[in-house]
Amino acid sequence: MAFWIGLDDTDSRKAGCTTYVAAVAMRRLEALGARIVGYPRLIRLNPSCPYKTRGNAAIAFKVEGIELERAEELMRSVVEELSELDEGAETGIVFLEGEPDERLRSFYWRAVRELVSLDDGFKVAEEAEAKLIYYGSGRGIIGALAAIGADLSLGKTYELIAHRRREYWGTVRRIDPVSVLELDEATRPYTFDNIDPESGEIRIAPHTPCPVLFGIRGVDPEIFEKALKIIRVYEPIEFVTIFETNQATDVHYQRLGIRDLRDGVCAVVEGVVTMQPRANVGGHVFFKLGDGNGEIWCAAYEPTKSFRKLILQLIPGDEVVAYGAVKQKPQGLTLNLEKIYIRRLAEKIVERSPKCPECGKRMTSMGGSKGFKCRRCGAKLPEEYKEISRVPRAIKPGFYEVPPSARRHLARPLMLDELLRDNEHRQGASNLI
Ligand SMILES: [Zn+2]
């Protein structure tokens, strides 16, 4: 009898990583004669969820060839050995015999697109007859249940994670940056987010003391063989695990009208720019978007770097589709931009004083609609003589996104759009235009 094991919240602020705990557990299960069926899953939930564990992902994998009770015993011992239980981890382990039903699937969708509570988690677990082992409040069961219920039919990507040997944890990762550039060059776009093109930063290695040496994201697991031949690291690798994931799939977005937006949802909103974008002292750029039924603030925060320059070029009247997470802020509901599609640019009109018909000097406005006066010769012209000219726009319609360093795990990089469009079913969220 096959069953699913889900796992989440094994890490503390300092260290740990659920991918590592799961990778160890899977290897120990295999040592007992169990088989892991298919790829283990690495599942990201709604980035606005208050229960999320510091950016870490929940894991689920399917096991067969072992008694459930033996697997429970093993999972308990691995978690008690490796989970950061003394540092505040509230690990949840979920066991589900057979396949997840509709209730678990819908729990996943709520966890990835909306907000779910721990009570919801316990209720769904009971209804699904899932078995739970948890520590502290058991906050980790939310991610563990969602990872088991995850529906990857709308798109998935893969991540190869190389873990470090324990004696190297906390030390500087010795990865040859040139080899990462080579890897990127040779395998892109089948691998992605290896490097931030704007800052040149290497994106495959974390900067935390966690057990991950590097993670390579890809759209096809076959590409990892090639990538591993190219990358050069100067420390032994403990083991390498390939996960299938919902990262870079845009599944967190819902297409919503402005009046239906709520705190905590991730949304795709179509509208017209109604207020000239402006930067505040912190370098954050804000503008207002309206759709006839309401208005919402949109923000491109400082970490989105050059994306802000694009946003500052928008003017009232521009038609756009905005993607991002909705948050309640002091100024009101605010959509934190992750990407934007500029559908149509408004005409940028500039008005200025006419030249003097007598002497050719640029005239001065007399204010309001009183017309113009020449300061040199005193000639006057009525208001309707003002010059109206169209200024060419500095930006073009199309898709724009924040740099990789500011992008959420779930947001799909634009470079993957064309690559994935042909072999995926769409559900209206991503290629909504
Ligand atoms: Zn004049």
Side-chain angles (χ1 to χ4, degrees):
M1 178 74 174
F3 53 92
W4 284 91
I5 300 178
L7 179 68
D8 193 19
D9 205 336
T10 66
D11 58 314
S12 69
R13 222 166 283 278
K14 287 201 311 226
C17 178
T18 304
T19 62
Y20 180 76
V21 180
V24 169
M26 287 189 286
R27 280 162 181 83
R28 291 192 191 165
L29 283 164
E30 284 173 332
L32 295 177
R35 280 179 303 282
I36 308 299
V37 183
Y39 289 101
R41 294 171 170 175
L42 186 165
I43 299 299
R44 305 278 178 180
L45 303 182
N46 184 347
S48 305
C49 182
Y51 282 101
K52 76 163 178 167
T53 54
R54 295 166 283 279
N56 259 320
I59 303 288
F61 51 90
K62 192 172 168 182
V63 188
E64 62 181 22
I66 190 169
E67 300 274 311
L68 183 60
E69 290 69 27
R70 268 190 101 191
E72 283 173 27
E73 209 177 290
L74 182 130
M75 289 304 298
R76 195 189 285 274
S77 79
V78 170
V79 162
E80 287 175 9
E81 176 190 336
L82 298 174
S83 203
E84 307 280 320
L85 299 173
D86 298 335
E87 307 282 341
E90 302 194 36
T91 309
I93 318 169
V94 175
F95 301 86
L96 180 83
E97 291 189 78
E99 291 301 316
D101 64 6
E102 222 16 76
R103 279 173 297 215
L104 268 176
R105 292 238 180 272
S106 90
F107 183 75
Y108 163 72
W109 283 115
R110 279 193 290 137
V112 85
R113 291 186 167 166
E114 309 258 339
L115 303 176
V116 289
S117 70
L118 189 49
D119 284 346
D120 294 337
F122 281 114
K123 189 158 164 270
V124 165
E126 194 181 336
E127 288 170 355
E129 295 177 15
K131 194 156 183 192
L132 308 177
I133 297 175
Y134 61 90
Y135 301 84
S137 71
R139 181 174 66 182
I141 69 155
I142 295 176
L145 283 163
I148 291 175
D151 177 359
L152 299 178
S153 65
L154 298 178
K156 63 180 167 188
T157 63
Y158 298 85
E159 181 161 355
L160 174 147
I161 297 184
H163 287 104
R164 315 181 77 185
R165 288 210 189 151
R166 187 177 276 273
E167 61 266 34
Y168 288 86
W169 295 5
T171 65
V172 172
R173 292 169 178 82
R174 295 180 60 205
I175 299 171
D176 178 355
V178 175
S179 74
V180 180
L181 294 172
E182 290 167 10
L183 177 163
D184 187 59
E185 184 76 17
T187 60
R188 195 184 51 207
Y190 299 98
T191 67
F192 57 93
D193 279 359
N194 303 308
I195 290 157
D196 189 321
E198 198 170 315
S199 64
E201 180 202 1
I202 300 293
R203 302 273 308 151
I204 66 166
H207 302 293
T208 54
C210 81
V212 172
L213 179 57
F214 60 80
I216 303 172
R217 283 152 278 222
V219 295
D220 178 352
E222 309 263 305
I223 198 69
F224 294 135
E225 200 183 323
K226 186 175 181 184
L228 282 180
K229 282 185 185 144
I230 299 172
I231 191 165
R232 293 186 291 276
V233 297
Y234 302 103
E235 68 173 70
I237 292 173
E238 173 87 35
F239 38 61
V240 157
T241 313
I242 296 174
F243 295 90
E244 58 178 23
T245 107
N246 64 351
Q247 294 173 157
T249 57
D250 278 352
V251 290
H252 57 318
Y253 296 125
Q254 306 178 65
R255 210 186 159 114
L256 291 170
I258 289 176
R259 67 174 163 196
D260 296 322
L261 296 176
R262 305 176 299 284
D263 186 26
V265 301
C266 296
V268 176
V269 183
E270 187 155 1
V272 176
V273 176
T274 55
M275 189 205 92
Q276 181 70 44
R278 261 184 231 128
N280 71 9
V281 286
H284 311 305
V285 174
F286 294 91
F287 67 91
K288 273 186 173 177
L289 188 68
D291 69 354
N293 290 314
E295 271 193 336
I296 186 170
W297 286 99
C298 292
Y301 290 105
E302 192 283 331
T304 66
K305 302 295 173 197
S306 66
F307 181 71
R308 294 171 301 161
K309 289 189 197 132
L310 170 99
I311 297 301
L312 282 169
Q313 292 291 328
L314 293 171
I315 60 170
D318 286 345
E319 294 172 22
V320 304
V321 184
Y323 294 63
V326 177
K327 286 252 166 78
Q328 188 64 53
K329 294 279 177 175
Q331 68 271 15
L333 273 186
T334 302
L335 185 113
N336 178 0
L337 287 170
E338 294 172 353
K339 47 187 164 181
I340 195 165
Y341 178 72
I342 301 175
R343 187 193 298 286
R344 207 181 67 83
L345 291 168
E347 282 191 332
K348 190 172 183 178
I349 306 283
V350 169
E351 296 179 354
R352 59 177 188 170
S353 307
K355 283 183 176 166
C356 174
E358 305 294 332
C359 72
K361 185 180 162 54
R362 183 78 54 193
M363 298 175 86
T364 306
S365 170
M366 293 190 286
S369 51
K370 292 191 193 118
F372 305 94
K373 185 176 181 179
C374 178
R375 285 231 168 118
R376 186 186 291 162
C377 70
K380 286 183 181 172
L381 279 179
E383 185 68 17
E384 54 266 33
Y385 280 80
K386 71 182 167 205
E387 280 181 15
I388 295 173
S389 54
R390 284 193 187 92
V391 180
R393 299 291 302 271
I395 50 175
K396 291 191 172 71
F399 256 118
Y400 298 87
E401 67 184 341
V402 302
S405 56
R407 190 169 57 232
R408 316 291 197 109
H409 292 292
L410 282 164
R412 169 184 284 176
L414 295 180
M415 66 181 274
L416 295 189
D417 267 0
E418 205 165 316
L419 191 66
L420 297 180
R421 191 168 288 143
D422 297 336
N423 51 20
E424 273 183 13
H425 300 287
R426 290 320 181 119
Q427 204 234 359
S430 179
N431 285 359
L432 59 178
I433 41 167

